[in-house]
Amino acid sequence: MIVDIINKKRLGEELSYKELDTIFNGYLNGEVADYQMSALLMAICINGMSDEETFALTKIFIDSGEILDFDELGVLVDKHSTGGIGDKVTLVIAPIVAACGCSVVKMSGRGLGYTGGTIDKLESIEGFRTDLTDEEIYEQVKKIGIVITGQTKDLAPMDKLIYALRDVTATVSSIPLIASSIMSKKIAGGADKILLDVKVGKGALISNKEDAEKFCELAIKIGKIYHREVRTKISDMNIPLGYAIGNSVEVLEAIDILQGKERDNYLVDLCYDLASEMISMGKGISKEEALALVDKSIEKGYAYQKFLELVKMQGGDLDKIKVSKKEKYIVSHKSGIINGIDALELGKLAVALGAGRSSKDEKIDHTVGIRLHYLVGEEVQKGATLATVYVNERLKIPKSRHIFDIQKKIN
Ligand code: URA
């Protein structure tokens, strides 16, 4: 009985492949209710899963749908982030990597918890299609070497269903669930080389370094089972990534980076690092050689051209990207140096604005968001505008002291 399976996990016992298969496939078939699956997910979150259970769940997710095969197109590289605030890395690095000659098929997700999702961001470009079919994906990679689309409806459909439920039941931050979710999609999606961008900190799904390391180990083990090369990179997510948090505002920031207008900050360094790692994997060259290619792709405008090709091929119109005209401001409560910016508080504000979801079927507002005017380490004066908040509905904007940690300057 389903209740017995839930109870077994509540007691912290290991579930067999058969038990996991029964309850997860039951949910996919509509025989297990949302509330039962929510209870199981919560028990998993609290009591964890063994490696064996995680491998089993990954297989169940993979087997719930089709497995794509792009072998004819050569080596496919993919990257996946465990989710962060202001994380527009995919929008920047996928075009860079493709401009440097590696084929990229990136199947991305929607926002999860307080973290944004690439698909939501891309849908802020009017007309941009994120529902390409297998044939369209195949043709587009062959033609321009890059696709960013949503998980096709037949790819790990069980993950899609569970992901949406986790988002609204506070069950996102379980290492085995994150590992099965990400790795099942990457494996079913046909990637040969997988780079995992693992975020740790207040604004991430994974809050501490030990859990991040556990996740990396688990993902590498799953990769081995399916003969995929997996590399991992752990990075800080206590502060937001870059200046923008939201959907259209993040696309605009990604464009600035691709055009070489934004340089020398943590986000840009991370993008260059991850892009060169992917190119190094895809081309079998050193990271230094790959980094030189990345630099050139920005300098010469190749990466931005690739982004424009991608938007055009997927039907988007960049001229129609909208940011709300209604602005509110977060003003500095004192003078000093910015010591920290609370990514989680900004994530919560973005969801409250409507940039993310608080229930499964909620529509998001692509035009709202936040644009920071200062990053950590910069000096501000009392009364300076620290952030512009693009709103559409009446909403109380938090005071700067709840988001910005400003320390007196010591002369
Ligand atoms: N990204 C995913 O695809 N799945 C998760 O569970 C977390 C981040």
Side-chain angles (χ1 to χ4, degrees):
M1 277 232 310
I2 296 303
V3 174
D4 297 325
I5 300 176
I6 301 171
N7 203 31
K8 200 168 165 187
K9 191 36 78 187
R10 182 182 70 81
L11 295 169
E13 291 171 32
E14 190 173 39
L15 298 180
S16 66
Y17 180 90
K18 191 158 180 292
E19 286 164 328
L20 287 165
D21 192 51
T22 302
I23 189 160
F24 278 91
N25 271 306
Y27 184 60
L28 187 64
N29 301 333
E31 290 151 13
V32 169
D34 267 357
Y35 52 82
Q36 290 177 309
M37 184 47 78
S38 305
L40 178 75
L41 292 171
M42 187 56 82
I44 291 176
C45 262
I46 294 168
N47 291 326
M49 288 208 292
S50 67
D51 281 6
E52 288 313 314
E53 285 175 299
T54 311
F55 301 154
L57 190 59
T58 309
K59 179 165 165 32
I60 293 166
F61 279 8
I62 295 172
D63 292 346
S64 70
E66 64 181 349
I67 297 172
L68 301 179
D69 181 355
F70 295 109
D71 274 0
E72 264 180 49
L73 299 176
V75 175
L76 275 201
V77 281
D78 197 353
K79 82 54 101 161
H80 202 91
S81 161
T82 54
I85 312 283
D87 184 353
K88 68 274 301 168
V89 170
T90 293
L91 300 178
V92 179
I93 72 174
I96 295 178
V97 173
C100 292
C102 298
S103 297
V104 182
V105 176
K106 176 79 188 87
M107 284 190 206
S108 292
R110 300 195 177 276
L112 191 60
Y114 294 117
T115 68
T118 303
I119 290 306
D120 291 332
K121 291 169 204 192
L122 282 169
E123 284 176 352
S124 62
I125 305 173
E126 206 176 297
F128 193 98
R129 282 189 55 211
T130 58
D131 60 350
L132 301 191
T133 62
D134 295 354
E135 293 70 35
E136 286 171 321
I137 293 172
Y138 191 88
E139 284 310 312
Q140 187 171 316
V141 193
K142 222 159 86 178
K143 219 170 188 168
I144 64 168
I146 181 171
V147 169
I148 308 180
T149 185
Q151 209 170 317
T152 56
K153 80 174 173 4
D154 294 328
L155 187 117
M158 193 175 312
D159 170 66
K160 204 170 187 176
L161 213 59
I162 297 290
Y163 190 94
L165 187 63
R166 285 168 60 213
D167 188 26
V168 291
T169 52
T171 53
V172 288
S173 57
S174 147
I175 299 302
L177 289 180
I178 298 175
S180 328
S181 163
I182 293 179
M183 291 306 289
S184 61
K185 283 178 289 205
K186 299 295 101 179
I187 289 158
D192 300 294
K193 315 265 179 183
I194 303 160
L195 176 63
L196 298 176
D197 174 15
V198 185
K199 305 267 185 263
V200 190
K202 276 177 94 171
L205 300 181
I206 303 177
S207 58
N208 62 67
K209 188 98 189 288
E210 294 91 79
D211 278 352
E213 280 162 1
K214 238 188 267 165
F215 167 81
C216 295
E217 262 175 48
L218 206 46
I220 291 169
K221 280 186 198 163
I222 297 171
K224 278 219 175 87
I225 297 175
Y226 294 90
H227 310 290
R228 313 292 159 109
E229 185 188 353
V230 177
R231 290 193 201 171
T232 57
K233 198 109 219 163
I234 297 179
S235 61
D236 178 43
M237 194 61 251
N238 282 303
I239 52 169
L241 273 174
Y243 291 97
I245 299 123
N247 294 293
S248 55
V249 285
E250 289 198 34
V251 173
L252 295 174
E253 182 175 15
I255 291 174
D256 281 349
I257 301 174
L258 286 166
Q259 290 180 332
K261 289 184 191 157
E262 200 181 293
R263 288 171 188 265
D264 297 330
N265 67 42
Y266 177 63
L267 168 65
V268 177
D269 290 348
L270 182 69
C271 287
Y272 276 45
D273 188 36
L274 292 171
S276 45
E277 194 76 57
M278 277 178 84
I279 296 163
S280 151
M281 286 171 104
K283 286 187 168 279
I285 58 176
S286 72
K287 271 237 11 227
E288 290 66 34
E289 288 170 290
L291 190 56
L293 292 178
V294 173
D295 274 331
K296 192 167 158 198
S297 76
I298 296 286
E299 290 295 324
K300 302 266 185 202
Y302 302 149
Y304 182 55
Q305 280 312 315
K306 191 53 82 180
F307 177 76
L308 293 179
E309 265 179 77
L310 167 78
V311 172
K312 191 162 171 224
M313 276 295 276
Q314 292 189 216
D317 183 350
L318 271 182
D319 292 335
K320 292 206 179 127
I321 189 160
K322 285 196 205 96
V323 177
S324 172
K325 294 250 166 16
K326 277 189 228 155
E327 297 181 2
K328 291 201 169 194
Y329 305 99
I330 299 178
V331 170
S332 182
H333 57 287
K334 66 178 182 189
S335 298
I337 306 288
I338 300 184
N339 197 36
I341 302 176
D342 194 319
L344 180 59
E345 285 306 316
L346 285 170
K348 287 182 183 171
L349 174 58
V351 172
L353 287 168
R357 295 173 188 80
S358 20
S359 66
K360 245 187 348 176
D361 302 315
E362 199 175 339
K363 284 237 169 336
I364 60 166
D365 183 344
H366 294 97
T367 68
V368 296
I370 304 151
R371 173 122 193 136
L372 304 174
H373 298 293
Y374 293 89
L375 296 181
V376 169
E378 292 184 322
E379 186 174 355
V380 289
Q381 300 303 321
K382 183 171 176 177
T385 302
L386 295 175
T388 300
V389 184
Y390 303 96
V391 297
N392 261 335
E393 285 176 22
R394 285 160 69 91
L395 186 83
K396 201 158 174 270
I397 302 300
K399 296 260 183 285
S400 65
R401 65 174 62 85
H402 299 303
I403 295 175
F404 293 86
D405 171 18
I406 300 172
Q407 298 293 324
K408 262 211 173 117
K409 193 175 168 199
I410 302 163
N411 290 313

